[in-house]
Structure formats: C-alpha cells, structure tokens
Coordinates of all heavy atoms in Angstrom, one line a residue:
M90 N 0.8 -1.2 0.0 CA 0.0 0.0 0.0 C 0.9 1.2 0.0 O 1.8 1.3 0.8 CB -0.9 0.0 1.2 CG -1.8 1.1 1.3 SD -3.1 1.0 2.5 CE -2.2 0.7 4.0
A91 N 0.6 2.1 -0.9 CA 1.4 3.4 -1.0 C 0.9 4.4 0.0 O -0.3 4.5 0.3 CB 1.3 4.0 -2.4
P92 N 1.7 5.2 0.6 CA 1.3 6.2 1.6 C 0.6 7.4 1.0 O 0.0 8.1 1.7 CB 2.6 6.6 2.3 CG 3.7 6.3 1.3 CD 3.2 5.1 0.5
G93 N 0.7 7.5 -0.3 CA 0.0 8.6 -1.0 C 0.0 8.3 -2.5 O 0.4 7.2 -2.9
P94 N -0.6 9.2 -3.3 CA -0.7 8.9 -4.7 C 0.7 8.7 -5.4 O 1.7 9.3 -5.0 CB -1.3 10.2 -5.3 CG -1.9 10.9 -4.1 CD -1.1 10.5 -2.9
L95 N 0.7 7.8 -6.4 CA 1.9 7.5 -7.1 C 1.8 8.1 -8.5 O 0.8 8.1 -9.1 CB 2.1 6.0 -7.3 CG 2.3 5.2 -6.0 CD1 2.4 3.7 -6.3 CD2 3.5 5.7 -5.2
T96 N 2.9 8.6 -9.0 CA 3.0 9.2 -10.4 C 4.1 8.6 -11.1 O 5.2 8.5 -10.6 CB 3.2 10.7 -10.3 OG1 2.1 11.3 -9.5 CG2 3.2 11.3 -11.7
N97 N 3.8 8.0 -12.3 CA 4.9 7.4 -13.1 C 5.7 6.3 -12.3 O 6.9 6.3 -12.4 CB 5.8 8.4 -13.7 CG 5.1 9.4 -14.6 OD1 4.2 9.0 -15.4 ND2 5.5 10.7 -14.6
A98 N 5.0 5.5 -11.5 CA 5.6 4.5 -10.7 C 6.1 3.4 -11.6 O 5.5 3.0 -12.5 CB 4.6 4.0 -9.7
T99 N 7.2 2.8 -11.2 CA 7.7 1.6 -11.8 C 7.6 0.4 -10.8 O 8.1 0.6 -9.7 CB 9.2 1.7 -12.2 OG1 9.3 2.8 -13.2 CG2 9.7 0.5 -12.8
I100 N 6.9 -0.6 -11.2 CA 6.7 -1.8 -10.3 C 7.6 -2.9 -10.8 O 7.6 -3.2 -12.0 CB 5.2 -2.2 -10.3 CG1 4.3 -1.1 -10.1 CG2 5.0 -3.4 -9.3 CD1 4.5 -0.3 -8.8
T101 N 8.4 -3.5 -10.0 CA 9.3 -4.6 -10.4 C 9.1 -5.8 -9.4 O 8.6 -5.7 -8.3 CB 10.8 -4.2 -10.3 OG1 11.1 -3.8 -9.0 CG2 11.0 -3.1 -11.3
A102 N 9.4 -7.0 -10.0 CA 9.4 -8.2 -9.2 C 10.6 -9.0 -9.5 O 11.1 -9.0 -10.6 CB 8.1 -9.1 -9.5
T103 N 11.2 -9.5 -8.5 CA 12.5 -10.3 -8.7 C 12.2 -11.7 -8.2 O 11.8 -12.0 -7.1 CB 13.6 -9.7 -7.8 OG1 13.8 -8.4 -8.2 CG2 14.9 -10.5 -8.0
Q104 N 12.4 -12.7 -9.1 CA 12.2 -14.1 -8.8 C 13.3 -14.5 -7.8 O 14.5 -14.3 -8.1 CB 12.2 -14.9 -10.1 CG 11.8 -16.3 -9.9 CD 11.5 -17.0 -11.2 OE1 10.7 -16.5 -11.9 NE2 12.1 -18.2 -11.4
N105 N 12.9 -15.2 -6.8 CA 13.9 -15.5 -5.7 C 14.6 -16.9 -6.0 O 15.7 -17.0 -5.6 CB 13.1 -15.6 -4.4 CG 14.0 -15.3 -3.2 OD1 15.1 -14.9 -3.4 ND2 13.5 -15.6 -2.0
S106 N 13.9 -17.8 -6.6 CA 14.5 -19.1 -6.9 C 13.8 -19.8 -8.0 O 12.7 -19.4 -8.4 CB 14.5 -20.0 -5.7 OG 13.2 -20.3 -5.3
G107 N 14.5 -20.8 -8.6 CA 13.9 -21.6 -9.6 C 13.8 -20.9 -11.0 O 14.3 -19.8 -11.2
S108 N 13.3 -21.7 -11.9 CA 13.2 -21.1 -13.3 C 11.7 -21.0 -13.7 O 11.4 -21.1 -14.9 CB 13.9 -22.1 -14.3 OG 13.3 -23.4 -14.2
W109 N 10.9 -20.7 -12.8 CA 9.4 -20.6 -13.1 C 9.2 -19.3 -13.9 O 9.8 -18.3 -13.7 CB 8.6 -20.5 -11.7 CG 8.9 -21.6 -10.8 CD1 9.7 -21.7 -9.7 CD2 8.3 -22.9 -11.0 NE1 9.6 -22.9 -9.2 CE2 8.8 -23.7 -9.9 CE3 7.4 -23.5 -11.8 CZ2 8.4 -25.0 -9.7 CZ3 7.0 -24.8 -11.7 CH2 7.5 -25.6 -10.6
Q110 N 8.2 -19.4 -14.8 CA 7.8 -18.3 -15.5 C 6.5 -17.7 -14.8 O 5.8 -18.5 -14.1 CB 7.4 -18.6 -16.9 CG 8.6 -19.1 -17.7 CD 8.2 -19.3 -19.2 OE1 7.3 -18.8 -19.7 NE2 8.9 -20.2 -19.8
S111 N 6.3 -16.5 -14.8 CA 5.2 -15.9 -14.1 C 4.6 -14.7 -14.8 O 5.2 -14.2 -15.7 CB 5.6 -15.6 -12.7 OG 6.6 -14.6 -12.7
A112 N 3.5 -14.2 -14.2 CA 2.9 -13.0 -14.7 C 2.6 -12.1 -13.5 O 2.4 -12.6 -12.4 CB 1.6 -13.3 -15.5
M113 N 2.6 -10.8 -13.7 CA 2.3 -9.9 -12.6 C 1.3 -8.9 -13.2 O 1.5 -8.2 -14.2 CB 3.5 -9.2 -12.1 CG 3.2 -8.2 -10.9 SD 4.7 -7.6 -10.1 CE 5.4 -6.5 -11.4
T114 N 0.2 -8.7 -12.5 CA -0.8 -7.7 -12.8 C -0.9 -6.7 -11.7 O -1.1 -7.2 -10.5 CB -2.2 -8.3 -13.1 OG1 -2.1 -9.2 -14.2 CG2 -3.2 -7.2 -13.4
V115 N -0.7 -5.4 -11.9 CA -0.8 -4.4 -10.9 C -2.0 -3.6 -11.1 O -2.3 -3.2 -12.2 CB 0.5 -3.5 -10.9 CG1 0.4 -2.4 -9.9 CG2 1.7 -4.3 -10.8
V116 N -2.8 -3.5 -10.0 CA -4.0 -2.6 -10.0 C -3.9 -1.6 -8.9 O -3.3 -1.8 -7.9 CB -5.3 -3.5 -9.9 CG1 -5.5 -4.4 -11.0 CG2 -5.3 -4.2 -8.6
A117 N -4.6 -0.5 -9.2 CA -4.6 0.6 -8.2 C -6.0 1.1 -8.0 O -6.8 1.1 -8.9 CB -3.7 1.8 -8.7
F118 N -6.3 1.4 -6.8 CA -7.7 1.8 -6.4 C -7.6 3.1 -5.7 O -6.8 3.2 -4.7 CB -8.4 0.8 -5.5 CG -8.6 -0.5 -6.2 CD1 -7.7 -1.6 -6.0 CD2 -9.6 -0.8 -7.1 CE1 -7.8 -2.8 -6.6 CE2 -9.8 -2.0 -7.7 CZ -8.9 -3.0 -7.5
N119 N -8.3 4.1 -6.1 CA -8.3 5.4 -5.5 C -9.3 5.4 -4.3 O -10.4 4.9 -4.4 CB -8.7 6.5 -6.5 CG -8.5 7.9 -6.0 OD1 -7.6 8.1 -5.2 ND2 -9.3 8.8 -6.5
N120 N -8.8 5.9 -3.2 CA -9.7 6.0 -2.0 C -10.2 4.6 -1.5 O -11.3 4.5 -1.0 CB -10.9 6.9 -2.2 CG -10.5 8.3 -2.5 OD1 -9.5 8.9 -1.9 ND2 -11.1 9.0 -3.5
A121 N -9.3 3.6 -1.6 CA -9.7 2.3 -1.1 C -9.7 2.2 0.4 O -8.9 2.8 1.0 CB -8.7 1.3 -1.7
D122 N -10.7 1.5 0.9 CA -10.7 1.3 2.4 C -9.8 0.1 2.7 O -10.1 -1.0 2.4 CB -12.2 1.0 2.8 CG -12.3 0.8 4.3 OD1 -11.3 0.7 5.0 OD2 -13.5 0.8 4.8
T123 N -8.7 0.3 3.3 CA -7.8 -0.7 3.6 C -8.1 -1.4 5.0 O -7.4 -2.4 5.3 CB -6.3 -0.2 3.7 OG1 -6.3 0.8 4.7 CG2 -5.9 0.4 2.3
A124 N -9.1 -1.0 5.7 CA -9.4 -1.6 7.0 C -10.4 -2.7 6.8 O -10.6 -3.5 7.7 CB -10.0 -0.5 7.9
Q125 N -11.1 -2.7 5.7 CA -12.2 -3.8 5.5 C -11.8 -4.5 4.2 O -11.1 -4.0 3.3 CB -13.5 -3.1 5.3 CG -14.0 -2.3 6.5 CD -15.5 -1.9 6.2 OE1 -16.3 -2.7 6.0 NE2 -15.7 -0.6 6.3
G126 N -12.3 -5.7 4.1 CA -12.0 -6.5 2.9 C -12.4 -8.0 3.2 O -12.6 -8.4 4.3
A127 N -12.4 -8.7 2.1 CA -12.8 -10.1 2.2 C -11.9 -10.9 1.2 O -11.5 -10.4 0.2 CB -14.2 -10.4 1.9
T128 N -11.6 -12.1 1.6 CA -10.9 -13.0 0.6 C -11.6 -14.4 0.6 O -12.3 -14.7 1.5 CB -9.4 -13.2 1.1 OG1 -9.4 -13.8 2.4 CG2 -8.7 -11.9 1.1
A129 N -11.3 -15.1 -0.4 CA -11.9 -16.5 -0.6 C -11.0 -17.2 -1.5 O -10.3 -16.7 -2.3 CB -13.3 -16.4 -1.1
G130 N -11.1 -18.5 -1.4 CA -10.3 -19.4 -2.3 C -11.0 -20.6 -2.6 O -12.0 -21.0 -1.9
G131 N -10.7 -21.3 -3.7 CA -11.3 -22.5 -4.1 C -10.5 -23.3 -5.0 O -9.6 -22.8 -5.7
C132 N -10.7 -24.6 -5.0 CA -9.9 -25.5 -6.0 C -10.8 -26.7 -6.2 O -11.8 -26.9 -5.5 CB -8.6 -25.9 -5.4 SG -8.6 -26.8 -3.9
A133 N -10.4 -27.5 -7.2 CA -11.1 -28.7 -7.5 C -10.2 -29.7 -8.1 O -9.4 -29.4 -8.9 CB -12.3 -28.4 -8.5
A134 N -10.3 -31.0 -7.7 CA -9.5 -32.0 -8.3 C -9.9 -32.3 -9.7 O -9.0 -32.6 -10.6 CB -9.6 -33.3 -7.5
T135 N -11.2 -32.2 -10.0 CA -11.7 -32.3 -11.4 C -12.8 -31.2 -11.6 O -13.4 -30.8 -10.6 CB -12.3 -33.7 -11.6 OG1 -13.4 -33.9 -10.8 CG2 -11.2 -34.8 -11.5
G136 N -13.0 -30.8 -12.8 CA -14.0 -29.8 -13.1 C -13.6 -28.4 -12.6 O -12.5 -28.2 -12.2
A137 N -14.5 -27.5 -12.8 CA -14.2 -26.1 -12.5 C -14.2 -25.9 -11.0 O -15.1 -26.3 -10.3 CB -15.2 -25.2 -13.2
P138 N -13.3 -25.1 -10.5 CA -13.3 -24.7 -9.0 C -14.4 -23.6 -8.8 O -14.8 -23.0 -9.7 CB -11.9 -24.2 -8.8 CG -11.5 -23.7 -10.1 CD -12.1 -24.6 -11.1
S139 N -14.8 -23.5 -7.6 CA -15.7 -22.4 -7.3 C -15.3 -21.8 -5.9 O -14.7 -22.5 -5.1 CB -17.1 -22.9 -7.3 OG -17.4 -23.8 -6.3
A140 N -15.8 -20.6 -5.6 CA -15.6 -20.0 -4.3 C -16.7 -19.0 -4.2 O -17.2 -18.4 -5.1 CB -14.2 -19.3 -4.3
S141 N -17.1 -18.7 -2.9 CA -18.1 -17.7 -2.6 C -17.4 -16.6 -1.8 O -16.6 -16.9 -1.0 CB -19.2 -18.3 -1.8 OG -19.9 -19.3 -2.6
L142 N -17.8 -15.4 -2.1 CA -17.3 -14.2 -1.4 C -18.4 -13.3 -1.0 O -19.2 -12.9 -1.9 CB -16.2 -13.5 -2.3 CG -15.6 -12.3 -1.8 CD1 -14.6 -12.6 -0.7 CD2 -15.0 -11.5 -2.9
A143 N -18.4 -12.8 0.2 CA -19.4 -11.8 0.7 C -18.6 -10.5 0.8 O -17.7 -10.4 1.5 CB -19.9 -12.2 2.0
T144 N -19.1 -9.5 0.0 CA -18.4 -8.2 0.1 C -18.7 -7.6 1.5 O -19.7 -7.9 2.1 CB -18.9 -7.3 -1.0 OG1 -20.3 -7.2 -1.0 CG2 -18.5 -7.8 -2.4
T145 N -17.9 -6.7 1.9 CA -18.0 -6.1 3.2 C -18.5 -4.7 3.3 O -18.8 -4.2 4.3 CB -16.6 -6.1 3.9 OG1 -15.7 -5.4 3.2 CG2 -16.1 -7.6 4.1
C146 N -18.6 -4.0 2.1 CA -19.1 -2.7 2.1 C -19.6 -2.3 0.7 O -19.2 -2.9 -0.3 CB -18.1 -1.6 2.6 SG -16.5 -1.6 1.7
A147 N -20.4 -1.3 0.7 CA -20.9 -0.8 -0.6 C -19.8 -0.4 -1.5 O -18.8 0.2 -1.1 CB -21.9 0.3 -0.4
G148 N -19.9 -0.6 -2.8 CA -18.9 -0.1 -3.8 C -17.7 -1.1 -3.9 O -16.7 -0.7 -4.4
S149 N -17.8 -2.3 -3.3 CA -16.7 -3.2 -3.4 C -16.4 -3.7 -4.8 O -17.3 -3.8 -5.6 CB -17.0 -4.4 -2.5 OG -17.1 -4.1 -1.2
W150 N -15.1 -3.9 -5.1 CA -14.7 -4.5 -6.3 C -14.3 -5.9 -6.0 O -13.7 -6.2 -5.0 CB -13.5 -3.7 -6.9 CG -13.9 -2.4 -7.5 CD1 -13.9 -1.2 -6.9 CD2 -14.4 -2.2 -8.8 NE1 -14.4 -0.3 -7.7 CE2 -14.7 -0.8 -8.9 CE3 -14.7 -3.0 -9.9 CZ2 -15.2 -0.2 -10.1 CZ3 -15.1 -2.4 -11.1 CH2 -15.4 -1.1 -11.2
V151 N -14.5 -6.9 -6.9 CA -14.2 -8.3 -6.8 C -13.2 -8.6 -7.9 O -13.5 -8.4 -9.1 CB -15.4 -9.2 -6.8 CG1 -15.0 -10.6 -6.7 CG2 -16.4 -8.8 -5.7
C152 N -12.0 -9.2 -7.5 CA -11.0 -9.6 -8.5 C -10.7 -11.1 -8.3 O -10.7 -11.5 -7.1 CB -9.7 -8.8 -8.3 SG -9.9 -7.0 -8.6
G153 N -10.5 -11.8 -9.3 CA -10.1 -13.2 -9.2 C -8.9 -13.5 -10.0 O -8.7 -12.9 -11.1
V154 N -8.1 -14.5 -9.6 CA -6.9 -15.0 -10.2 C -7.0 -16.5 -10.3 O -7.4 -17.1 -9.3 CB -5.7 -14.5 -9.5 CG1 -4.4 -15.0 -10.2 CG2 -5.7 -12.9 -9.5
G155 N -6.5 -17.1 -11.3 CA -6.5 -18.5 -11.4 C -5.4 -19.1 -12.3 O -4.9 -18.4 -13.2
T156 N -5.1 -20.3 -12.0 CA -4.1 -21.1 -12.8 C -4.7 -22.5 -13.0 O -5.1 -23.1 -12.0 CB -2.7 -21.2 -12.1 OG1 -2.2 -19.8 -12.0 CG2 -1.7 -22.0 -12.9
D157 N -4.6 -23.0 -14.2 CA -5.0 -24.4 -14.4 C -3.9 -25.2 -15.0 O -3.5 -25.0 -16.1 CB -6.2 -24.4 -15.4 CG -6.8 -25.8 -15.5 OD1 -6.2 -26.8 -15.3 OD2 -8.0 -25.9 -15.9
W158 N -3.3 -26.0 -14.1 CA -2.1 -26.7 -14.5 C -2.4 -27.9 -15.5 O -1.5 -28.3 -16.2 CB -1.4 -27.3 -13.2 CG -0.9 -26.3 -12.3 CD1 -1.6 -25.8 -11.2 CD2 0.3 -25.5 -12.4 NE1 -0.9 -24.9 -10.6 CE2 0.3 -24.6 -11.3 CE3 1.3 -25.5 -13.3 CZ2 1.3 -23.7 -11.1 CZ3 2.4 -24.6 -13.1 CH2 2.4 -23.7 -12.0
N159 N -3.6 -28.3 -15.5 CA -4.0 -29.5 -16.3 C -4.6 -29.2 -17.7 O -4.7 -30.0 -18.5 CB -4.9 -30.4 -15.5 CG -4.1 -30.9 -14.3 OD1 -3.0 -31.3 -14.3 ND2 -4.8 -30.8 -13.1
A160 N -5.3 -28.0 -17.8 CA -6.0 -27.7 -19.0 C -5.6 -26.3 -19.5 O -6.4 -25.4 -19.2 CB -7.5 -27.9 -18.8
P161 N -4.5 -26.2 -20.1 CA -4.0 -24.8 -20.6 C -4.8 -24.3 -21.7 O -4.4 -24.4 -22.9 CB -2.6 -25.1 -20.9 CG -2.5 -26.5 -21.3 CD -3.5 -27.2 -20.5
L162 N -6.0 -23.7 -21.4 CA -6.9 -23.2 -22.5 C -7.1 -21.7 -22.2 O -7.2 -21.3 -21.1 CB -8.2 -23.9 -22.5 CG -8.2 -25.4 -22.6 CD1 -9.6 -26.0 -22.4 CD2 -7.7 -25.8 -24.0
A163 N -7.3 -21.0 -23.3 CA -7.7 -19.6 -23.1 C -9.1 -19.6 -22.4 O -10.0 -20.4 -22.8 CB -7.8 -18.9 -24.4
R164 N -9.3 -18.7 -21.5 CA -10.5 -18.6 -20.7 C -11.4 -17.5 -21.1 O -10.9 -16.5 -21.6 CB -10.2 -18.5 -19.2 CG -9.3 -19.6 -18.6 CD -10.0 -20.9 -18.8 NE -9.1 -22.0 -18.3 CZ -9.3 -23.3 -18.4 NH1 -10.5 -23.7 -18.9 NH2 -8.5 -24.1 -18.0
T165 N -12.7 -17.7 -21.0 CA -13.7 -16.7 -21.3 C -14.4 -16.4 -20.0 O -14.8 -17.3 -19.3 CB -14.7 -17.2 -22.3 OG1 -14.0 -17.6 -23.5 CG2 -15.7 -16.1 -22.6
V166 N -14.4 -15.1 -19.6 CA -15.1 -14.7 -18.3 C -16.6 -14.6 -18.5 O -17.1 -14.5 -19.6 CB -14.5 -13.4 -17.7 CG1 -13.0 -13.6 -17.4 CG2 -14.6 -12.3 -18.7
G167 N -17.3 -14.7 -17.4 CA -18.7 -14.6 -17.4 C -19.3 -13.2 -17.7 O -18.5 -12.2 -17.8
A168 N -20.6 -13.1 -17.7 CA -21.3 -11.8 -17.9 C -20.9 -10.9 -16.8 O -20.7 -11.3 -15.7 CB -22.8 -12.1 -17.9
A169 N -20.8 -9.6 -17.1 CA -20.4 -8.5 -16.2 C -19.0 -8.7 -15.6 O -18.7 -8.2 -14.5 CB -21.5 -8.4 -15.1
Q170 N -18.1 -9.4 -16.3 CA -16.7 -9.6 -15.9 C -15.8 -9.1 -17.0 O -16.2 -9.1 -18.2 CB -16.4 -11.0 -15.6 CG -17.1 -11.6 -14.4 CD -16.7 -13.0 -14.1 OE1 -15.8 -13.5 -14.7 NE2 -17.4 -13.6 -13.1
T171 N -14.6 -8.7 -16.6 CA -13.7 -8.2 -17.6 C -12.4 -9.0 -17.4 O -11.9 -9.1 -16.3 CB -13.3 -6.7 -17.4 OG1 -14.5 -5.9 -17.5 CG2 -12.3 -6.2 -18.3
L172 N -11.9 -9.5 -18.5 CA -10.6 -10.2 -18.5 C -9.5 -9.2 -18.5 O -9.3 -8.4 -19.5 CB -10.4 -11.2 -19.7 CG -9.2 -12.0 -19.7 CD1 -9.1 -13.0 -18.5 CD2 -9.1 -12.8 -21.0
V173 N -8.7 -9.1 -17.4 CA -7.7 -8.1 -17.3 C -6.4 -8.6 -18.0 O -5.7 -7.8 -18.6 CB -7.4 -7.8 -15.8 CG1 -6.3 -6.8 -15.6 CG2 -8.7 -7.3 -15.1
D174 N -6.0 -9.8 -17.8 CA -4.8 -10.3 -18.4 C -4.9 -11.8 -18.5 O -5.6 -12.5 -17.7 CB -3.6 -9.9 -17.4 CG -2.3 -10.4 -18.0 OD1 -2.1 -10.4 -19.2 OD2 -1.4 -10.7 -17.2
Q175 N -4.2 -12.4 -19.4 CA -4.1 -13.8 -19.6 C -2.7 -14.1 -20.2 O -2.4 -13.6 -21.2 CB -5.2 -14.4 -20.5 CG -5.4 -15.9 -20.4 CD -6.7 -16.3 -21.0 OE1 -7.3 -17.2 -20.4 NE2 -7.2 -15.7 -22.0
Y176 N -1.9 -15.0 -19.5 CA -0.6 -15.2 -19.9 C -0.3 -16.7 -20.1 O -0.8 -17.5 -19.2 CB 0.3 -14.6 -18.8 CG 1.8 -15.0 -18.9 CD1 2.6 -14.6 -20.0 CD2 2.5 -15.7 -17.9 CE1 3.9 -14.9 -20.1 CE2 3.8 -16.0 -18.0 CZ 4.5 -15.6 -19.1 OH 5.8 -15.9 -19.2
F177 N 0.3 -17.1 -21.1 CA 0.6 -18.5 -21.4 C 2.1 -18.7 -21.5 O 2.7 -18.7 -22.6 CB -0.1 -18.9 -22.7 CG -1.5 -18.9 -22.7 CD1 -2.2 -17.8 -23.0 CD2 -2.2 -20.1 -22.4 CE1 -3.6 -17.8 -23.0 CE2 -3.6 -20.1 -22.3 CZ -4.3 -18.9 -22.6
P178 N 2.8 -19.0 -20.4 CA 4.2 -19.3 -20.4 C 4.4 -20.7 -21.1 O 3.4 -21.4 -21.3 CB 4.6 -19.3 -19.0 CG 3.4 -19.7 -18.2 CD 2.3 -19.1 -19.0
R179 N 5.6 -21.1 -21.4 CA 5.9 -22.4 -21.9 C 6.4 -23.3 -20.8 O 7.3 -22.9 -20.1 CB 6.9 -22.3 -23.1 CG 6.4 -21.5 -24.2 CD 5.3 -22.2 -25.0 NE 4.7 -21.4 -26.0 CZ 3.4 -21.1 -26.0 NH1 2.6 -21.6 -25.1 NH2 2.9 -20.4 -27.0
P180 N 5.9 -24.6 -20.7 CA 4.7 -25.1 -21.4 C 3.5 -24.3 -21.1 O 3.4 -23.6 -20.1 CB 4.6 -26.5 -20.9 CG 5.2 -26.5 -19.5 CD 6.3 -25.4 -19.6
A181 N 2.5 -24.4 -22.0 CA 1.3 -23.5 -21.9 C 0.5 -23.8 -20.7 O -0.3 -24.7 -20.6 CB 0.5 -23.6 -23.1
I182 N 0.7 -23.0 -19.6 CA -0.1 -23.1 -18.4 C -0.7 -21.7 -18.2 O 0.0 -20.7 -17.9 CB 0.8 -23.4 -17.2 CG1 1.5 -24.8 -17.4 CG2 0.0 -23.4 -15.9 CD1 2.5 -25.1 -16.4
P183 N -2.0 -21.5 -18.4 CA -2.5 -20.2 -18.4 C -2.6 -19.6 -17.0 O -2.8 -20.3 -16.0 CB -3.9 -20.4 -18.9 CG -4.3 -21.8 -18.6 CD -3.0 -22.6 -18.7
I184 N -2.2 -18.4 -16.9 CA -2.4 -17.6 -15.7 C -3.3 -16.5 -16.0 O -3.0 -15.7 -16.9 CB -1.0 -17.1 -15.2 CG1 -0.1 -18.3 -14.9 CG2 -1.1 -16.2 -13.9 CD1 1.4 -17.9 -14.7
G185 N -4.4 -16.3 -15.3 CA -5.4 -15.3 -15.7 C -5.8 -14.4 -14.5 O -5.7 -14.8 -13.4
C186 N -6.2 -13.3 -14.9 CA -6.7 -12.3 -13.9 C -8.0 -11.7 -14.4 O -8.0 -11.2 -15.5 CB -5.7 -11.3 -13.6 SG -6.2 -10.0 -12.4
S187 N -9.1 -11.8 -13.7 CA -10.3 -11.2 -14.1 C -10.9 -10.4 -13.0 O -10.6 -10.5 -11.9 CB -11.3 -12.3 -14.6 OG -11.7 -13.1 -13.5
A188 N -11.8 -9.5 -13.4 CA -12.5 -8.6 -12.4 C -13.9 -8.3 -12.8 O -14.2 -8.4 -14.0 CB -11.7 -7.3 -12.3
K189 N -14.7 -8.0 -11.9 CA -16.1 -7.6 -12.2 C -16.0 -6.3 -12.9 O -15.2 -5.5 -12.7 CB -16.9 -7.4 -10.9 CG -17.3 -8.7 -10.3 CD -18.4 -9.4 -11.1 CE -19.2 -10.4 -10.3 NZ -20.3 -11.0 -11.1
S190 N -16.9 -6.1 -13.8 CA -16.9 -4.9 -14.6 C -17.5 -3.7 -13.9 O -17.5 -2.5 -14.3 CB -17.7 -5.1 -15.9 OG -17.1 -6.1 -16.7
A191 N -18.2 -3.9 -12.8 CA -18.8 -2.8 -12.0 C -18.6 -3.1 -10.5 O -18.4 -4.3 -10.1 CB -20.3 -2.7 -12.3
Q192 N -18.8 -2.1 -9.7 CA -18.7 -2.3 -8.3 C -19.9 -3.1 -7.8 O -20.9 -3.1 -8.4 CB -18.7 -0.9 -7.6 CG -17.5 -0.1 -7.9 CD -17.6 1.3 -7.3 OE1 -18.7 1.9 -7.4 NE2 -16.6 1.8 -6.6
Q193 N -19.6 -3.8 -6.7 CA -20.6 -4.7 -6.2 C -21.3 -4.2 -4.9 O -20.7 -3.5 -4.2 CB -20.0 -6.1 -5.8 CG -19.3 -6.7 -7.0 CD -20.2 -7.0 -8.2 OE1 -21.2 -7.7 -8.1 NE2 -20.0 -6.3 -9.3
P194 N -22.6 -4.5 -4.7 CA -23.2 -4.0 -3.5 C -22.7 -4.8 -2.3 O -22.2 -5.9 -2.5 CB -24.7 -4.3 -3.8 CG -24.7 -5.5 -4.7 CD -23.4 -5.2 -5.6
P195 N -22.9 -4.3 -1.1 CA -22.5 -5.1 0.1 C -23.4 -6.4 0.2 O -24.5 -6.4 -0.3 CB -22.8 -4.1 1.2 CG -23.8 -3.2 0.7 CD -23.6 -3.1 -0.8
A196 N -22.8 -7.4 0.8 CA -23.5 -8.6 1.1 C -24.7 -8.3 2.1 O -24.5 -7.5 3.0 CB -22.6 -9.6 1.6
A197 N -25.7 -9.1 2.0 CA -26.8 -8.9 2.9 C -26.4 -9.4 4.3 O -25.7 -10.4 4.4 CB -28.0 -9.7 2.4
P198 N -26.8 -8.7 5.3 CA -26.4 -9.2 6.7 C -27.0 -10.5 7.1 O -28.0 -11.0 6.6 CB -27.0 -8.1 7.6 CG -27.8 -7.2 6.8 CD -27.6 -7.6 5.3

C-alpha cells in the first residue's frame, strides 16, 4: 500500500529461486478502504473450481486470479466480468486475472 498517490511509478518483481515463469498484474484503487475486505479461495481435483465471497461494504470490487495446470486453455469470463490479463508461459499453463466490470453491492447481513 502506498502512503500517497503515485505518479509514473515503476513496479518490479524479482524471482527468488527456480526457473518458473510468471505474470504480474498491478491494479490501483483510489480512496480504497484498507481496513475492510474479504478473501476467498477454491480449488477442485476435477472440473471447475468455485468460491463464494461476501463483500464487506458498498462499492466493493471483486477480482479473481487462477491457474489451471492440467488444461491450458484460453478462458472466457462470465457476464459482467472483464478479463484483465491472460498469460501462457511455456509449457502453456494459463495464468489469468479477471475482475467484475462494476462495483458490487454489500452482502446482505
């Protein structure tokens, strides 16, 4: 988290070990509430994984990231979602990042 607005910032990542290929997507949110938030995760041995997430406040944004080691296919996101990035290192293992196209309402209490 930056202590203030960034201008012409350069973001770098240094791989610590191994010969893994990777992707990095950087997002910035103006006036983000850093005290509240929610996370969720999901996986599946077969078929599509799923996860449920309850937003914590009005105007929340939901972002998802995934990797499929067994089925390296280009992915299509669902309705009201935006594909932010999709990377296919060799061997072709897709790494994707998607986000909702609009802010989400808070979860019902």
